[in-house]
Amino acid sequence: MSAESTTTIAAPVAEKKDTALTINGDTRIDSYYWMNDRNDPKVLAYLNAENTYLDTMMASATQLRKKLYEEMRGRIMETDVSVPYLKEGYYYYTRYVEGKEYPIYCRKKGSLEAKEEITLNVNEMAAGHDYYQVGGMAVSPDGQWLAFGVDTVSRRQYTIRIKNLQTGEILPDAILNTTGGAAWASDNKTFFYTGKDPVTLRADRIGRHVVGTEAAKDKEVFHEKDETFNTIAYRSKSGQYIFIASESTLSSEYRILDASKPLGDAKVFYPRQHNLLYDVDHQDQHFYIRTNYEAKNFRLMECPLDKTGIRDWKEVIPHRADVLLEGQELFKEHMVLSERKNGLTQLRVINTHTHQEHYLHFDEPAYVASVSINPEFDTKTLRYVYTSMTTPSSTYDYDMDAKTNELKKRQEVLGGYDPKNYVTERVYATARDGVKVPISIVYKKGFEKDGKRPLLLYGYGSYGHSIDPGFSSNRLSLLDRGFAYAIAHIRGGEEMGRQWYEDGKLFKKKNTFYDFIDCAEFLVAQKYTDSAHLYAMGGSAGGLLIGAVVNMRPKLWNGVIAAVPFVDVVTTMLDESIPLTTGEFDEWGNPKNKAYYDYMKSYSPYDNVVAQDYPNMLVLTGLHDSQVQYWEPAKWVAKLRELKTDKHLLLFKTDMEAGHGGASGRFKPLEDVALQYAFLLGLEGK
């Protein structure tokens, strides 16, 4: 494989069928609109032809892909067990067995010395399935019943099943088309769940199920009629309430129900208002509310159980312009705040009785610290997870009074990994409008900043989702071969606070792309790499990022990887039958409005493919993707093949059994990673 491929095999040529798409007085001609039918034999034939082409073009990398796969798999402790956590009298943990793809979920009653009970052995359940995913596991308060969701297609449409953990029997109850999660009431026989619209897959209703009854007789207790909102039900950590949350990008609304009265009516906590976000938690005689009410970076409020109007909210933690309040974990005598300052996460412990407080201290220039599973309310122990680009994921138990740390488990990396052999940095690029954009970097010692080394730059920049600098054992396969790896913390995420997100959405979306390009140029200027050795990668909305920057600055990159990329922005946002569309008008805008239409069209990767040289490209998708439909990257690749003027590689793979998250299991996903790394290494002649 080489950048200027000399192979004689012809790339697939997709049939052109012009479709005129007219709105707002503007007509777009889409020659590949016909690809949006996954049951059309011609569509499947084209996707398979692209897969065959990729296999042929990557044939010389077969051994490298195999070596990379075995290398990455060889770092994984195949027989492994998670740190147990205590919940309602049982210690719960997850085991993995050598050679098996899926987890075994277990528990022990009262003591870690007790007999093991296997709640679910997913390896046995997944037999005969190309894809199998268990989600939303929830045990009834008395420990007898387990509700769990199963997805065998990868469309994120889970069927909820119920298992009797005393007898091992799986009941005939089957609740179709759900998110998989369940919120148990206190009677140990009733739970609430979220159903999905069968077409749009929007989480639009809350149902109530009683163990042992037919799902067809379930009562719908709430229906979210606003198509821009999704809904979910969950049980408070205290166990006293069922919360029904309705959320959109810019607004939220909660309903509360006494968990001991599952047949009662849920009461609105505070009515939804545009641009008012809040979430609710419970501790003793108060509800705690994290909200952006008169607080862009959020603040924490409290109110009595019987007075939940906004006038009854009392401030507990004030708004801070330089700190984003991301969440809170409540205990009987403590509160732990998850905050973000200068782009980095931090944990703040407050004793709610004495009001004394302190922060946990972390040394590295770039890291991630996050609250882990803490189901017990009456405890002084906080479980949290720490990681960095050089430190494997580490689980700690922290005594909030004594201020002492106990390392419970650090992800073991087989093969002799030593973090001292690697370097992590935090640098700042100056964007074209003067804003400082953080970049997290990792490389192996000996990496020379001579402007000739390969570097992979990763980005996302949407939905206020922050990409944090965590550890990846897979990534070592690149670092050990001379690559540096960098994350551009661009606007559209929330790394630097809520304003950081707002400055990378709607009519400011292009800031996301400009930031990424400016970060890349900074890394070139600082001699980390040059355009002959610079690579970019992003997935989903990060695939939109990749599609935009290769149109804008095609010669800046030697190669790019776009995974499940959202590249046909205008067409998708005009189709309200597609999952996610209606809920995302506040993110991208509604193109029925001409101003939004014109702005989207000006950056939409598919609409802006032109006759020019493009870098080497690897594009990945899944046939059953429910988030970004497969036809977006399929159309994009077909149009690129039609118009691009270079002889660089353009490879496209469709996983015919998977969706947005790729293949299921522990090891099968490594095949895709091996493909990605082989693509990059091949371009470097390695």
Side-chain angles (χ1 to χ4, degrees):
M1 188 185 75
S2 66
E4 297 290 338
S5 180
T6 58
T7 184
T8 57
I9 183 173
V13 177
E15 182 180 357
K16 293 180 67 176
K17 300 179 183 178
D18 288 354
T19 299
L21 303 173
T22 301
I23 191 172
N24 294 320
D26 181 64
T27 297
R28 293 176 301 133
I29 302 298
D30 189 342
S31 300
Y32 305 105
Y33 188 82
W34 62 272
M35 289 187 183
N36 68 352
D37 181 0
R38 62 171 47 84
N39 297 312
D40 184 341
K42 287 186 177 181
V43 172
L44 297 176
Y46 170 69
L47 298 179
N48 283 316
E50 286 283 3
N51 284 348
T52 300
Y53 179 72
L54 179 144
D55 290 340
T56 303
M57 297 298 287
M58 293 288 289
S60 62
T62 300
Q63 290 304 312
L64 176 58
R65 288 167 68 179
K66 183 177 180 181
K67 182 179 181 180
L68 288 165
Y69 172 86
E70 296 296 340
E71 193 175 282
M72 292 183 289
R73 181 165 178 166
R75 296 192 190 101
I76 297 172
M77 179 69 72
E78 293 203 18
T79 298
D80 202 2
V81 61
S82 67
V83 182
Y85 63 86
L86 180 65
K87 182 179 182 182
E88 293 168 333
Y90 287 89
Y91 286 93
Y92 290 88
Y93 57 96
T94 304
R95 287 198 292 112
Y96 289 94
V97 177
E98 183 175 355
K100 299 294 185 181
E101 285 277 2
Y102 295 99
I104 301 171
Y105 296 104
C106 309
R107 69 178 186 177
K108 293 182 178 181
K109 187 174 184 178
S111 166
L112 291 174
E113 307 304 317
K115 180 182 177 181
E116 179 180 86
E117 301 176 31
I118 294 178
T119 57
L120 289 180
N121 186 335
V122 184
N123 296 292
E124 295 176 355
M125 299 162 65
H129 294 277
D130 292 321
Y131 180 93
Y132 200 90
Q133 189 73 41
V134 168
M137 296 176 62
V139 178
S140 59
D142 64 358
Q144 179 176 355
W145 304 102
L146 169 66
F148 62 96
V150 173
D151 175 13
T152 59
V153 179
S154 191
R155 289 283 286 172
R156 299 186 181 180
Q157 291 173 284
Y158 290 85
T159 297
I160 294 179
R161 303 301 305 271
I162 304 167
K163 183 175 182 178
N164 186 329
L165 295 179
Q166 293 180 352
T167 66
E169 175 192 11
I170 293 183
L171 303 187
D173 311 37
I175 310 170
L176 306 179
N177 195 26
T178 75
T179 60
W184 286 94
S186 302
D187 64 0
N188 298 299
K189 65 178 182 179
T190 306
F191 65 78
F192 299 84
Y193 61 89
T194 305
K196 289 189 166 187
D197 182 284
V199 177
T200 67
L201 304 188
R202 182 172 69 92
D204 65 349
R205 56 193 164 82
I206 302 298
R208 183 179 65 215
H209 183 77
V210 177
V211 172
T213 63
E214 294 181 34
K217 297 181 180 179
D218 287 357
K219 178 177 175 55
E220 184 180 277
V221 298
F222 174 67
H223 182 78
E224 179 51 72
K225 296 178 181 179
D226 189 327
E227 293 182 347
T228 66
F229 279 73
N230 289 276
T231 187
I232 188 173
Y234 64 96
R235 185 170 172 239
S236 67
K237 181 175 175 178
S238 67
Q240 295 183 35
Y241 290 93
I242 302 294
F243 292 130
I244 296 175
S246 287
E247 297 177 327
S248 70
T249 306
L250 296 177
S251 305
S252 58
E253 179 181 72
Y254 276 64
R255 286 167 169 77
I256 52 176
L257 175 67
D258 188 329
S260 66
K261 300 175 182 178
L263 300 183
D265 294 325
K267 168 192 170 186
V268 174
F269 187 88
Y270 186 73
R272 67 188 67 180
Q273 292 182 7
H274 188 59
N275 288 329
L276 175 64
L277 288 166
Y278 72 90
D279 54 54
V280 184
D281 208 342
H282 168 247
Q283 182 194 59
D284 296 332
Q285 299 305 308
H286 292 93
F287 289 116
Y288 283 85
I289 309 105
R290 187 184 71 99
T291 180
N292 69 343
Y293 175 62
E294 297 181 348
K296 184 178 288 289
N297 275 338
F298 292 82
R299 57 176 168 161
L300 191 66
M301 317 283 276
E302 67 176 16
C303 70
L305 301 183
D306 58 347
K307 294 181 179 179
T308 62
I310 201 165
R311 292 181 180 178
D312 299 303
W313 297 2
K314 176 184 174 184
E315 185 172 85
V316 178
I317 303 293
H319 172 263
R320 291 150 294 169
D322 61 339
V323 178
L324 175 68
L325 177 59
E326 293 192 318
Q328 67 281 345
E329 185 78 26
L330 301 180
F331 299 89
K332 185 176 181 180
E333 296 180 358
H334 298 84
M335 174 189 301
V336 179
L337 303 182
S338 296
E339 300 178 344
R340 188 177 292 272
K341 184 175 182 179
N342 294 327
L344 293 173
T345 52
Q346 51 188 24
L347 300 178
R348 177 182 179 186
V349 178
I350 301 173
N351 186 309
T352 53
H353 288 208
T354 67
H355 302 294
Q356 292 183 330
E357 61 176 77
H358 63 277
Y359 283 90
L360 276 67
H361 180 69
F362 307 109
D363 294 331
E364 296 183 89
Y367 66 87
V368 194
S370 58
V371 173
S372 184
I373 302 173
N374 290 270
E376 288 295 290
F377 186 66
D378 189 4
T379 179
K380 297 178 181 179
T381 301
L382 165 72
R383 177 160 293 174
Y384 74 92
V385 175
Y386 176 88
T387 181
S388 76
M389 296 179 89
T390 59
T391 304
S393 180
S394 308
T395 301
Y396 287 91
D397 278 356
Y398 179 74
D399 187 313
M400 292 183 280
D401 285 339
K403 302 180 183 179
T404 55
N405 250 339
E406 180 186 0
L407 177 63
K408 303 297 291 186
K409 181 182 177 67
R410 175 163 289 156
Q411 173 192 349
E412 187 165 355
V413 182
L414 301 182
Y417 171 73
D418 185 348
K420 294 178 182 177
N421 292 332
Y422 301 84
V423 178
T424 182
E425 294 184 29
R426 183 82 155 189
V427 298
Y428 292 84
T430 302
R432 61 196 65 190
D433 60 356
V435 171
K436 300 289 187 182
V437 182
I439 307 173
S440 299
I441 310 173
V442 65
Y443 49 82
K444 192 171 185 178
K445 282 185 177 178
F447 178 89
E448 295 184 43
K449 298 174 187 176
D450 58 7
K452 299 178 181 179
R453 306 298 159 181
L455 181 146
L456 176 59
L457 181 63
Y458 184 88
Y460 188 74
S462 291
Y463 305 111
H465 178 66
S466 299
I467 302 296
D468 286 316
F471 182 79
S472 166
S473 65
N474 295 338
R475 193 187 298 145
L476 298 175
S477 290
L478 282 183
L479 304 186
D480 290 348
R481 288 174 171 83
F483 267 76
Y485 179 90
I487 301 170
H489 302 287
I490 51 184
R491 280 174 283 188
E494 226 167 34
E495 285 92 338
M496 303 295 283
R498 187 72 178 179
Q499 190 65 49
W500 200 249
Y501 166 48
E502 293 182 359
D503 285 344
K505 61 184 288 196
L506 298 175
F507 290 118
K508 296 181 179 180
K509 187 63 213 170
K510 289 182 183 178
N511 282 339
T512 301
F513 317 137
Y514 295 148
D515 284 358
F516 194 76
I517 291 169
D518 294 343
C519 285
E521 292 184 329
F522 169 85
L523 293 169
V524 170
Q526 296 299 310
K527 303 285 188 184
Y528 285 91
T529 188
D530 65 6
S531 290
H533 303 282
L534 176 61
Y535 303 91
M537 181 176 179
S540 194
L544 161 65
L545 167 70
I546 298 302
V549 301
V550 295
N551 282 335
M552 296 164 70
R553 289 293 307 279
K555 294 182 179 180
L556 184 56
W557 332 91
N558 188 39
V560 302
I561 300 173
V564 292
F566 174 42
V567 286
D568 190 11
V569 183
V570 178
T571 308
T572 289
M573 293 306 297
L574 282 168
D575 187 349
E576 296 182 14
S577 71
I578 294 177
L580 301 187
T581 294
T582 57
E584 301 201 351
F585 290 148
D586 288 331
E587 180 74 22
W588 313 104
N590 187 339
K592 291 179 181 177
N593 176 309
K594 188 176 187 305
Y596 282 122
Y597 174 88
D598 291 342
Y599 188 73
M600 278 184 201
K601 186 182 175 185
S602 73
Y603 69 74
S604 173
Y606 182 62
D607 291 293
N608 287 279
V609 174
V610 296
Q612 65 178 355
D613 285 4
Y614 281 89
N616 298 285
M617 301 176 68
L618 172 63
V619 183
L620 307 168
T621 191
L623 181 64
H624 302 292
D625 196 328
S626 60
Q627 312 299 105
V628 177
Q629 309 300 313
Y630 73 88
W631 58 75
E632 292 197 43
K635 292 165 51 177
W636 183 46
V637 168
K639 191 172 183 180
L640 281 165
R641 290 211 187 284
E642 175 192 351
L643 294 177
K644 76 189 191 81
T645 54
D646 59 85
K647 295 182 180 179
H648 295 152
L649 287 168
L650 173 56
L651 304 177
F652 179 40
K653 179 188 175 183
T654 303
D655 189 324
M656 307 302 279
E657 276 87 42
H660 199 63
S664 61
R666 292 179 86 194
F667 308 121
K668 200 168 188 305
L670 295 178
E671 295 175 6
D672 268 352
V673 182
L675 169 63
Q676 295 164 28
Y677 287 2
F679 171 77
L680 297 172
L681 292 166
L683 295 175
E684 283 293 310
K686 295 181 181 290

